[in-house]
Amino acid sequence: MNLEQALNRYFQFPSFKPGQKETIQSILAGRHAIAMLPTGTGKSLCYQLPGYMLDGPVLIVSPLLSLMQDQVEQLKGRGEKRVVALNSFLTPIEKRNALSSLQNYKFIFISPEMLGTRLVINKLKSLRISLIAIDEAHCISQWGYDFRPDYLKLGEVRQVLGNPATLALTATATEEVRKDIARLLKLDSWDEHVLSVDRPEISMSVEILGQQEKLQRAFELVSNLQGPGIIYFSSRKMAEHVAAFLRDKGEQAMAYHGGLDQESRILIQQQFLNGQFNVVCATSAFGMGINKGDIRYVIHYHLSLQLESYLQEIGRAGRDGNKSLAVLLYAPGDEQLSYQLAEAELPESAQVGRLFALIREKCFEPDDVEENAEFLSASCGFSETQWRIVANFLKSLRQEPAERLKEQIERFAEKRLLIKKSQIENMVRYILHDGCKREYIHYHFGEKHCFEVTNCCSFCGLDFVNFRKHLASPELPIQYDWKKELASMLLAQAGDFNE
Amino acid sequence: MALSYSEALFLYCFKKIKDERTIYSLFHLFQGKKSSQTIQDAHLYNLTPFFQAFPFLTRQELESKVISLQNKGLLIQKAPEHFILSDKGERELSLFVTRRPMPPRYLDGWKYHHLTSLFWQRLSLLVQVASNLVHQKRQFIPVQNKQETLDWVKDYIRRQNLSREELGHGIFKELSHCLIQCEGEPAVLVRRLTGHDRIGLTSIQAADELEMEHVHYRLEFLNIVHFILHKAVETPGCFPLLDGIIRDIEKPVPFTLSTEKTYQLIKKGYTPGQIAQVRNLKLSTIEDHIVEIALHLKDFDLEAYVPKSKQERILQAAQNTSAKKLKQIRDQVADANYFEIRLVMAKNGDKS
Ligand SMILES: [Zn+2]
């Protein structure tokens, strides 16, 4: 059976997307691989198909619970029952049950923190893992966006598990980050399959304007551009504010951010997918795991914290391959907000000081610290992101004196902040770059080839006429008839409800 | 100028509690706090319909509402945190209630608070699934993502033993029957439902669409849900499908579902800290559960949480302070924390 036949048999797809086949071939030949494939190009197939063709289970390391859940559901939805997810959402009983029957599963998803326990490692060791797939592999590098210290132990885990074939997957990683991935995963040799991050169907515009003009310009764009579109913000409040402003002006706009309750988040996301409104004003919480092909524009009201996340976010446009537009609105000084955000993600020295004073004061033993995590985190005012970093250090409280740990956390935060600042500076350099924007991106990701793109970017020349609204949205306000609506939901023939 | 709905609502509640209770007792009532104080107050002042009407209300929101009522000359401060209606407030309120019943007719938070959100989660998912079944659409993203709700719907549909058309038709019939009988505006509920080709609105969107204040919308929504629950509970024979949604939770459970889970874990010997971790909840939430358990279970042993001697000292202190204010007790028993005091008070509420 050749690869195309296998693809057809297990997934009913006629052909591979770019990069998939090469990556799978490396794995089936028993070689390690680093694959950089833009989001939406079917990264998960790269471990799922080999999973069916190799003996033994596949271990998939995934940092985000929501992403993990999406993939588990996707597999189950296709009728695959041998899927399990090991993460911190499991109760002790569920965890015990999952571990004791682990040999029955083909696809074992695991969050990195679960790989820290000997029980789990020993169980995995007994399984003869055929492939380790590491999702969002850039998280291992402090130069990548979204560095997760938890990922650093993966190199060791690989070795303990007997150096099985390893696939590192990422959507965005510079050459430097890819080198870091290989080094930290302790890969001796590997194949690299790198697809360009460049999306020629997306025209890239940067507009520098005054703080006061931004709102008006956003409205102008939304009222003139063909939707649907996304506007990204770094603050929930601004997302709400602009959405309300646009609604006042007669646009169909909704806000989406992490502050909404779960039900509203699902509904708004689904309404957008279903074309029930035209523009979503969102924070970066929006877009993960959503696949909407016809997004025509992405506007950034605030700059992203790195070029990598910027590309991910604009990459949500034009998945259907049709021409789309990315507009970044920049007012000089905007980066101050970014610096504040970057700082807020890291534990502050005062908080860390308070934490260790509290541990001393309460005479907490390492076990107590673990048990009272919630109390400690709340007392010192740590956010979830901050606490994740701190908690990771506290794990070594048994081996290290508290004073040393405190220093380590502070040093870590300082170092991270420098890196984050340099990433923001790089973002600003992109904005101010007096040349082709696409070229800057090629340069940043160490890509050489450069091809002609019409309507390339705001430097090369870009005609907004191409993105003008052409479909008027008629949407006559019709009288809402609840009974008719209910009937059309629940009855096969909506006509027969007046019996 | 006529009162807005939310102004009328708050004035109505202040009129009930007079200056005998603080604004925070209203806060706890709206939150649906399971403390003996809140539950007793709700009954004493005839405010049980509003129990847990606004679980997402914040202190700040309530405080700023009170300030704006004062600024409009509708409310007068008698003592810190204590208010009464001004003459103007009285007049405006009595005018308002001639036009609109307050509380909405079927609102019964105390009776149905433990069923309300679960019923809505299940109903909204059930309608979506049934709609997609009827229209033979296999792929859709569920509007509720809790695994237990998803499992429940699957199981529910299997148990009905109906064809897709029969299921859809049955739900349609029962729901529209209820909605016609209820005096509320049915669109308040129907707008929120998701079908095969249309995603439902969020509560804020629905309120905007119906041009209602959010507070007003929320009460109208609860009014309809409580009416449906009332119908299903009282006449299950007429509404077998709706009754089936809550049949498994209908029996009077002493605890909320979440507290029940905590209770099960306590029985297995877990500590509060472990439970918080296992259930991914805040420690303070688990402590609330334990207080609720102590409030309802006469033979619940506190020894594991508060040593016997400390229990006695807390009780002693409680008897010394007439008002039973936690802070005053705390001042007398320095080594006791609020959780311990609340627990002892909950357990011994009737004795002291
Ligand atoms: Zn260019």
Side-chain angles (χ1 to χ4, degrees):
Chain A
M1 187 164 54
N2 69 28
L3 275 181
E4 273 81 6
Q5 285 165 333
L7 179 70
N8 204 317
R9 174 165 161 204
Y10 293 108
F11 294 88
Q12 292 83 48
F13 294 150
S15 60
F16 287 102
K17 290 184 184 171
Q20 285 179 333
K21 188 174 180 180
E22 298 78 357
T23 304
I24 292 169
Q25 279 169 335
S26 294
I27 295 164
L28 292 179
R31 292 194 296 270
H32 304 313
I34 297 178
M36 180 172 123
L37 310 173
T39 330
T41 51
K43 276 189 292 169
S44 51
L45 187 94
C46 296
Y47 61 79
Q48 290 177 359
L49 186 58
Y52 287 111
M53 305 180 74
L54 295 166
D55 288 330
V58 178
L59 182 70
I60 305 113
V61 183
S62 183
L64 290 170
L65 289 174
S66 55
L67 279 183
M68 195 187 286
Q69 217 45 46
D70 281 351
Q71 304 204 343
V72 168
E73 246 138 58
Q74 199 190 81
L75 272 167
K76 283 189 175 161
R78 244 202 332 269
E80 178 55 71
K81 294 203 168 54
R82 297 168 299 164
V83 196
V84 68
L86 296 174
N87 55 46
S88 53
F89 269 14
L90 299 181
T91 64
I93 297 152
E94 287 172 332
K95 185 175 155 190
R96 190 152 11 101
N97 288 343
L99 278 179
S100 66
S101 57
L102 213 51
Q103 63 281 359
N104 301 330
Y105 294 103
K106 184 78 198 178
F107 298 100
I108 303 169
F109 288 83
I110 194 161
S111 57
E113 79 271 8
M114 290 286 279
L115 285 167
T117 61
R118 184 155 321 134
L119 188 70
V120 174
I121 293 289
N122 284 343
K123 186 68 200 182
L124 289 172
K125 251 160 87 175
S126 70
L127 289 183
R128 234 174 43 81
I129 300 283
S130 62
L131 168 66
I132 301 183
I134 297 166
D135 213 356
E136 314 287 324
H138 52 263
C139 291
I140 202 173
S141 164
Q142 58 171 334
W143 301 103
Y145 88 103
D146 201 11
F147 169 50
R148 288 171 185 255
D150 256 348
Y151 260 51
L152 287 173
K153 58 173 172 274
L154 291 179
E156 202 180 319
V157 168
R158 275 193 61 255
Q159 291 183 325
V160 173
L161 295 182
N163 195 14
T166 299
L167 168 62
L169 290 162
T170 174
T172 40
T174 59
E175 206 175 344
E176 185 183 18
V177 170
R178 295 199 297 272
K179 274 188 197 141
D180 244 16
I181 293 174
R183 179 174 62 84
L184 294 164
L185 285 177
K186 305 184 202 273
L187 304 177
D188 34 28
S189 67
W190 66 94
D191 295 350
E192 239 176 72
H193 304 284
V194 176
L195 250 55
S196 173
V197 291
D198 188 8
R199 296 268 308 276
E201 66 274 23
I202 302 176
S203 302
M204 304 167 77
S205 169
V206 173
E207 299 185 13
I208 300 178
L209 68 183
Q211 201 60 255
Q212 309 307 323
E213 297 152 14
K214 259 195 189 175
L215 185 62
Q216 194 53 36
R217 180 58 182 157
F219 166 58
E220 244 171 60
L221 287 169
V222 169
S223 58
N224 285 309
L225 294 175
Q226 175 62 38
I230 307 176
I231 312 180
Y232 276 109
F233 297 82
S234 353
S235 103
R236 291 174 181 177
K237 234 171 136 179
M238 268 318 269
E240 287 278 2
H241 175 70
V242 174
F245 178 82
L246 292 174
R247 272 202 303 275
D248 267 1
K249 298 265 182 187
E251 297 295 332
Q252 303 169 308
M254 288 294 157
Y256 180 101
H257 52 75
L260 299 171
D261 63 274
Q262 188 70 15
E263 187 180 297
S264 301
R265 274 159 75 163
I266 299 177
L267 290 175
I268 290 173
Q269 184 165 315
Q270 295 307 312
Q271 289 166 0
F272 186 62
L273 287 182
N274 202 32
Q276 287 173 229
F277 67 92
N278 201 34
V279 53
V280 61
C281 297
T283 60
S284 57
F286 184 81
M288 284 226 239
I290 84 152
N291 214 343
K292 184 171 169 64
D294 63 348
I295 293 171
R296 293 275 71 86
Y297 64 84
V298 173
I299 297 171
H300 275 74
Y301 201 89
H302 296 127
L303 55 160
S304 311
L305 292 186
Q306 319 80 3
L307 206 46
E308 280 84 346
S309 29
Y310 180 66
L311 289 176
Q312 289 236 334
E313 284 157 7
I314 68 169
R316 303 209 162 98
R319 292 274 172 83
D320 57 7
N322 293 327
K323 289 291 289 174
S324 312
L325 177 66
V327 185
L328 196 160
L329 302 179
Y330 171 77
D334 271 359
E335 60 272 26
Q336 292 312 321
L337 177 63
S338 312
Y339 289 134
Q340 283 166 21
L341 287 170
E343 243 168 278
E345 285 177 358
L346 296 166
E348 277 174 51
S349 161
Q351 290 175 306
V352 177
R354 168 128 178 74
L355 173 71
F356 282 94
L358 208 59
I359 291 176
R360 209 169 36 237
E361 195 181 298
K362 299 252 170 195
C363 305
F364 276 163
E365 297 292 317
D367 278 339
D368 301 327
V369 169
E370 220 166 282
E371 194 158 311
N372 294 290
E374 188 113 21
F375 161 75
L376 289 171
S377 162
S379 312
C380 307
F382 287 116
S383 70
E384 220 178 296
T385 334
Q386 291 172 329
W387 182 251
R388 203 175 62 211
I389 295 168
V390 172
N392 201 49
F393 279 97
L394 288 180
K395 276 185 203 148
S396 22
L397 206 53
R398 258 171 258 272
Q399 297 94 43
E400 302 264 2
E403 211 35 55
R404 278 270 301 282
L405 269 186
K406 183 170 162 246
E407 257 171 52
Q408 282 176 18
I409 297 177
E410 283 166 357
R411 223 165 330 122
F412 174 85
E414 277 164 27
K415 199 168 154 202
R416 285 299 301 153
L417 190 60
L418 283 180
I419 292 173
K420 280 168 184 261
K421 278 193 172 151
S422 80
Q423 287 170 333
I424 295 167
E425 281 159 14
N426 182 42
M427 192 69 218
V428 176
R429 268 201 300 281
Y430 164 78
I431 292 168
L432 301 178
H433 176 63
D434 193 21
C436 174
K437 300 294 175 190
R438 213 169 284 274
E439 212 173 73
Y440 187 93
I441 286 170
H442 286 155
Y443 156 78
H444 180 71
F445 283 93
E447 292 178 12
K448 312 243 156 30
H449 67 288
C450 213
F451 38 86
E452 279 294 308
V453 175
T454 49
N455 277 309
C456 170
C457 67
S458 43
F459 178 83
C460 299
L462 164 54
D463 194 345
F464 274 51
V465 166
N466 294 290
F467 307 98
R468 267 268 171 77
K469 205 169 254 183
H470 49 84
L471 296 172
S473 39
E475 285 279 325
L476 295 167
I478 24 165
Q479 196 62 40
Y480 187 83
D481 180 342
W482 71 266
K483 206 167 180 193
K484 217 160 135 191
E485 293 292 326
L486 196 61
S488 83
M489 279 180 213
L490 290 165
L491 304 181
Q493 270 97 34
D496 48 283
F497 67 91
N498 279 320
E499 46 191 76
Chain B
M1 217 182 88
L3 296 179
S4 72
Y5 192 93
S6 61
E7 286 170 341
L9 167 73
F10 286 110
L11 287 181
Y12 177 87
C13 293
F14 275 111
K15 187 178 162 73
K16 291 277 180 190
I17 61 169
K18 298 175 228 132
D19 59 347
E20 295 168 11
R21 288 289 180 272
T22 71
I23 65 166
Y24 298 107
S25 72
L26 289 183
F27 173 71
H28 296 314
L29 172 80
F30 292 148
Q31 289 253 312
K33 192 179 177 196
K34 297 281 179 45
S35 71
S36 48
Q37 184 77 60
T38 303
I39 294 168
Q40 281 165 19
D41 286 353
H43 286 92
L44 189 62
Y45 295 105
N46 280 320
L47 289 171
T48 48
F50 299 104
F51 190 80
Q52 213 173 77
F54 307 104
F56 302 114
L57 182 79
T58 64
R59 281 168 189 274
Q60 290 79 1
E61 282 165 347
L62 182 62
E63 284 161 1
S64 63
K65 196 78 208 175
V66 167
I67 290 172
S68 112
L69 287 171
Q70 275 180 282
N71 291 342
K72 291 187 177 172
L74 298 163
L75 208 57
I76 297 168
Q77 183 157 27
K78 289 289 281 184
E81 300 172 4
H82 292 73
F83 297 86
I84 55 164
L85 270 61
S86 68
D87 291 345
K88 183 180 170 200
E90 294 276 2
R91 262 198 325 273
E92 294 279 348
L93 179 62
S94 56
L95 203 65
F96 186 93
V97 294
T98 57
R99 288 183 289 118
R100 254 184 226 289
M102 181 72 79
R105 181 143 173 219
Y106 304 106
L107 188 69
D108 198 345
W110 176 244
K111 190 162 179 194
Y112 295 124
H113 70 271
H114 65 297
L115 295 176
T116 305
S117 78
L118 197 61
F119 174 75
W120 170 248
Q121 284 168 25
R122 290 177 171 188
L123 176 73
S124 56
L125 184 62
L126 176 61
V127 168
Q128 183 191 24
V129 173
S131 176
N132 280 284
L133 280 173
V134 166
H135 294 91
Q136 317 215 359
K137 267 181 70 179
R138 297 190 50 200
Q139 287 207 332
F140 60 92
I141 294 168
V143 289
Q144 301 287 344
N145 63 357
K146 274 193 207 148
Q147 192 58 42
E148 56 193 44
T149 315
L150 298 171
D151 292 343
W152 175 86
V153 164
K154 227 182 256 168
D155 189 53
Y156 172 93
I157 291 176
R158 199 175 37 74
R159 273 185 288 127
Q160 304 310 317
N161 223 349
L162 296 170
S163 72
R164 319 162 166 220
E165 287 76 16
E166 285 167 338
L167 180 71
H169 194 260
I171 299 172
F172 172 75
K173 233 174 72 188
E174 290 188 21
L175 258 186
S176 50
H177 208 71
C178 266
L179 291 170
I180 287 166
Q181 286 181 29
C182 179
E183 284 157 24
E185 165 57 52
V188 164
L189 186 103
V190 179
R191 287 260 189 192
R192 299 275 298 277
L193 292 170
T194 293
H196 64 106
D197 64 352
R198 192 100 195 134
I199 307 297
L201 301 184
T202 68
S203 65
I204 290 179
Q205 289 172 336
D208 290 347
E209 197 74 36
L210 292 160
E211 297 181 339
M212 281 176 169
E213 244 188 303
H214 296 170
V215 163
H216 183 194
Y217 174 82
R218 168 78 183 160
L219 284 190
E220 292 292 336
F221 177 77
L222 289 177
N223 188 43
I224 294 178
V225 169
H226 291 174
F227 179 78
I228 298 174
L229 286 169
H230 168 76
K231 282 284 164 192
V233 173
E234 303 302 326
T235 50
C238 304
F239 301 98
L241 289 170
L242 292 176
D243 172 56
I245 296 178
I246 43 161
R247 197 173 302 146
D248 59 327
I249 40 170
E250 216 171 85
K251 55 184 184 315
V253 203
F255 311 138
T256 54
L257 213 58
S258 186
T259 301
E260 177 65 29
K261 282 185 186 160
T262 296
Y263 182 55
Q264 292 308 326
L265 292 172
I266 286 175
K267 284 203 290 191
K268 285 182 193 152
Y270 282 72
T271 68
Q274 287 168 328
I275 297 172
Q277 212 163 25
V278 167
R279 301 200 50 206
N280 212 357
L281 292 169
K282 285 190 186 143
L283 184 62
S284 60
T285 308
I286 304 299
E287 291 179 345
D288 285 340
H289 293 165
I290 297 173
V291 172
E292 190 189 339
I293 293 166
L295 204 55
H296 286 98
L297 282 190
K298 291 274 168 281
D299 55 350
F300 185 65
D301 190 6
L302 302 190
E303 188 69 33
Y305 310 99
V306 196
K308 198 91 201 146
S309 63
K310 204 192 266 184
Q311 288 185 35
E312 277 159 16
R313 281 186 291 128
I314 291 171
L315 274 178
Q316 190 60 45
Q319 269 153 14
N320 294 344
T321 60
S322 51
K324 285 187 212 160
K325 290 247 170 70
L326 296 188
K327 185 159 183 325
Q328 292 174 3
I329 300 174
R330 172 105 211 255
D331 290 341
Q332 293 184 43
V333 190
D335 62 329
N337 60 35
Y338 282 114
F339 167 57
E340 293 171 327
I341 298 173
R342 280 166 55 216
L343 198 52
V344 174
M345 297 300 287
K347 173 86 180 158
N348 299 283
D350 305 329
K351 283 185 224 156
S352 53

